[in-house]
Amino acid sequence: MKPWHPLALLLLASLGLRLLAAWALGEGAPFGPDGTGVQAAVHLPGHAYPGHVLLVRLLDQARTVSLLSGALTSALLWAWGRRLGLGGAGGWLHATLPVAVLTGALAGGDAPALCVVAAGALLATAPGWVLPALGGALAVASLTVKPSAAPALVLLLATPRALLGAGLALPLVAPWLSPLLRPMPGGGLLGTWWLASGGRPPASLADGAAWLLGGARALLAAPAWASAWLLPLALAAWPRLRLVAPGPLLAGLAVACLLGERLEPRYLQAAVVAALPLIGARLPGRRAWLALLFLPLSAALVGQLAAERARRDPEARVPALPVLPWPQVGAAALFEQCSTDGATALRRVAGELAATLPPGATVQVVRRRDGREGELTWPLRVARPDVVIVPVPEGTPGAW
């Protein structure tokens, strides 16, 4: 087999799984935690993560960005592991990892942000100082795509020369660290990452101890498909990579401590993904088939979420497929992170209103959880900037 054949096979397998997951989830309104907002930001200013907007402008659709970046991340982890003598099993594990398959099929910023980190980490393994420094800077730039990828920056510890570029780039991306460094309690995740401690860092040693204990509990309570149980397995790279081996576990614990009960599997993804090539240190290439063990869990995750979407967004075109009922993945909560009831109908209504409203008309729109009324308001603002949109409480007569 030629040296590039395993990499080509990995890319095809990883992209194929994500395409299959995207097909199973169906077509309709952008489906993902960031889809509607970032698609609108291609035409309107003010989006929080300009790196993600830039990628969507280049590739047209947020889900296309996720599909391609998710598959590319598998290849980058494969190459990073081989470059450091760990083997390529980490890339295969990423190809089938349930949370990575899901985020690679959604319209969100998690998959592309991780791809930027992985690209920077691989560039950081180059000889000399210039390319490693550029790799460190590129990895840190992932914060402008989505800060959820930050825990994967522990991969840079394998090549300390990259820390020079990372340090030089930090002042440029400091605004995206504001929720950590300058928290704004009550501002949600965009305002503070210290959700488990009331919006601010713990105020005393006792509070800090409770904060750590709560984070450990949240990490242990994470659902199986989050794959948090993989984090301690990164210690397989000890003592070869002494600085990196404990990094994924510590990064995952830090995320759990910060978010507490608000912890979601996709927020743990970066730490878990950083662990995968390190786990590869104990998985020779011939054992990469162990990645196939993730497939039933990935199928259950995508299938249950697709069924929930078909039920709650009936105008979306979701194929009727068999659903693995076990293990339960909390499809209702997942759907609410990715969409809202009748999202595709709301976008249809937005098109109809844009075509029929008189100039300067006012439209009342009912507020929804996490700003999901944007399924109607963002497309309407793009098509008709003259229309005045007024958010109103649920039950307001005449409101959409």
Side-chain angles (χ1 to χ4, degrees), residues 187-266:
L189 273 175
L190 291 178
T192 179
W193 295 343
W194 299 89
L195 296 179
S197 52
R200 297 187 184 278
S204 66
L205 286 177
D207 290 342
W211 180 74
L212 285 170
L213 183 59
R217 288 172 176 165
L219 194 61
L220 291 172
W225 66 271
S227 304
W229 51 273
L230 290 173
L231 293 173
L233 300 184
L235 294 170
W238 182 278
R240 184 180 302 177
L241 297 175
R242 296 175 186 272
L243 291 177
V244 190
L249 178 58
L250 295 176
L253 179 59
V255 172
C257 286
L258 286 168
L259 301 184
E261 294 180 354
R262 289 286 303 275
L263 182 66
E264 298 174 9
R266 60 192 176 91

Side-chain angles (χ1 to χ4, degrees), residues 148 224 363:
S148 61
V363 175

Side-chain angles (χ1 to χ4, degrees), residues 343-359:
T344 304
L346 286 177
R347 293 185 73 84
R348 173 179 54 77
V349 169
E352 293 171 354
L353 291 174
T356 58
L357 286 173

Side-chain angles (χ1 to χ4, degrees), residues 12-352:
L12 288 173
S14 184
L15 181 59
L17 283 173
R18 283 151 181 78
L19 286 169
L20 186 61
W23 171 75
L25 290 170
E27 298 289 340
F31 192 68
D34 314 303
T36 298
V38 76
Q39 290 292 162
V42 172
H43 308 282
L44 301 173
H47 195 273
Y49 305 124
H52 192 198
V53 176
L54 175 62
L55 292 173
V56 175
R57 282 178 179 154
L58 291 173
L59 296 175
D60 188 51
Q61 296 292 324
R63 187 163 69 170
T64 303
V65 172
S66 292
L67 286 166
L68 295 178
S69 60
L72 183 57
T73 300
S74 298
L76 292 168
L77 293 174
W78 181 90
W80 186 87
R82 288 172 62 90
R83 185 74 62 86
L84 294 176
L86 303 173
W92 284 101
L93 291 172
H94 180 267
T96 60
L97 185 74
V99 67
V101 171
L102 178 64
T103 56
L106 296 177
D110 301 285
L114 270 172
C115 185
V116 174
V117 174
L122 180 61
L123 186 59
T125 62
W129 283 90
V130 175
L131 290 180
L134 288 175
L138 176 61
V140 168
S142 65
L143 296 173
T144 69
V145 180
K146 197 164 186 184
S148 61
L153 293 173
V154 297
L155 293 177
L156 295 179
L157 296 174
T159 47
R161 291 167 297 171
L163 300 180
L164 171 63
L168 292 174
L170 272 177
L172 301 177
V173 299
W176 289 275
L177 291 173
S178 295
L180 179 68
L181 304 177
R182 294 183 296 277
M184 298 174 58
L189 273 175
L190 291 178
T192 179
W193 295 343
W194 299 89
L195 296 179
S197 52
R200 297 187 184 278
S204 66
L205 286 177
D207 290 342
W211 180 74
L212 285 170
L213 183 59
R217 288 172 176 165
L219 194 61
L220 291 172
W225 66 271
S227 304
W229 51 273
L230 290 173
L231 293 173
L233 300 184
L235 294 170
W238 182 278
R240 184 180 302 177
L241 297 175
R242 296 175 186 272
L243 291 177
V244 190
L249 178 58
L250 295 176
L253 179 59
V255 172
C257 286
L258 286 168
L259 301 184
E261 294 180 354
R262 289 286 303 275
L263 182 66
E264 298 174 9
R266 60 192 176 91
Y267 297 140
L268 284 174
Q269 178 184 197
V272 173
V273 166
L276 300 180
L278 304 178
I279 295 171
R282 293 290 184 267
L283 288 177
R286 63 181 179 273
R287 293 184 183 172
W289 62 266
L290 291 171
L292 297 176
L293 299 177
F294 284 134
L295 288 179
L297 190 51
S298 295
L301 173 61
V302 172
Q304 290 175 37
L305 181 56
E308 186 72 8
R309 187 187 192 191
R311 184 177 70 84
R312 297 176 62 174
D313 188 8
E315 290 194 19
R317 300 180 298 279
V318 180
L321 297 171
V323 176
L324 294 178
W326 187 89
Q328 288 289 325
V329 301
L334 273 176
F335 175 83
E336 289 172 359
Q337 295 162 21
C338 297
S339 190
T340 189
D341 292 343
T344 304
L346 286 177
R347 293 185 73 84
R348 173 179 54 77
V349 169
E352 293 171 354

Side-chain angles (χ1 to χ4, degrees), residues 366 392-399:
V366 173
V392 295
E394 187 174 357
T396 302

